[in-house]
Amino acid sequence: MTDETSPATLQLKDVPAGFAGRALGMRSGDTVVAVNGRGFRGDLAALQTVLSGSGGEMALTVQRGGSEVTVLTDTLHLGRWEAVPALADDASRRRIDPAFLRNWEVMRAVDGSYDLFPHRLPATAMLLPQLWLMQMRLWLPCAMLVAAVTAGMIVHPALALVVHAAAGVHLRSMHAMYLRLDRRARGLSFQTVLAVRTEAQAHAAYRALQPEDQYIFAPAAKRHEAVNA
């Protein structure tokens, strides 16, 4: 609750099933502190105005516990909102252009190991799907694609090119499903979503939230050093 003289912001009261916030890892208690890097004060209508002026997608920063988390969203249908007193603004904030960010999904196992991947497939992955599948350790889809391209090459080189191109288009819509299925088989489950520019920044942002967690594909020596640190 707020009074008429207190600066107000928005907080998620609940994130029921069916709301877009579920897929973005939004949680009850997430409090809006900034939009596109600038401190936010206002109601849902004010937030909608910012979203409309952001080209259909905005970088929404919320306070979660003692940390801040940023996600990209094209909707405010994230959960049930309520007005709450605004938190102290951070004068060091800088504007964020959402066009340069990507949402990175983090999956985590009970032992603290984690992996992350972008919701938006890189353009290079569409051009070189086999290489991307190998980088992501998706060995079965990679083997199937190599076999399909090889079979196409036997019939006609042009068919191999068609299969290769079709695989890139297919990955554009299905890559997240393949990754989730593979990581669940490794014992990981959905943890959160973070909006940053690069994979390195995604790792840094997640480790700021969970400093004891370790990347599942980190070299064994580095994992051992981190455990004993």
Side-chain angles (χ1 to χ4, degrees), residues 129-147 178-179 182-183 186 217:
Q130 298 100 320
L131 179 59
W132 184 84
L133 288 167
M134 286 189 289
Q135 289 177 334
M136 295 295 105
R137 280 86 168 177
L138 294 174
W139 307 120
L140 180 57
C142 183
M144 293 174 64
L145 175 56
V146 170
Y178 288 138
L179 283 162
D182 180 84
R183 284 9 179 200
R186 298 173 186 266
F217 297 117

Side-chain angles (χ1 to χ4, degrees), residues 19-51:
F19 282 80
R22 280 289 185 97
L24 292 174
M26 305 296 287
R27 303 175 187 176
S28 174
D30 282 357
T31 303
V32 179
V33 293
V35 181
N36 295 338
R38 293 178 174 170
F40 175 80
R41 301 287 184 274
D43 56 12
L44 198 56
L47 194 57
Q48 180 62 57
T49 298
V50 177
L51 176 59

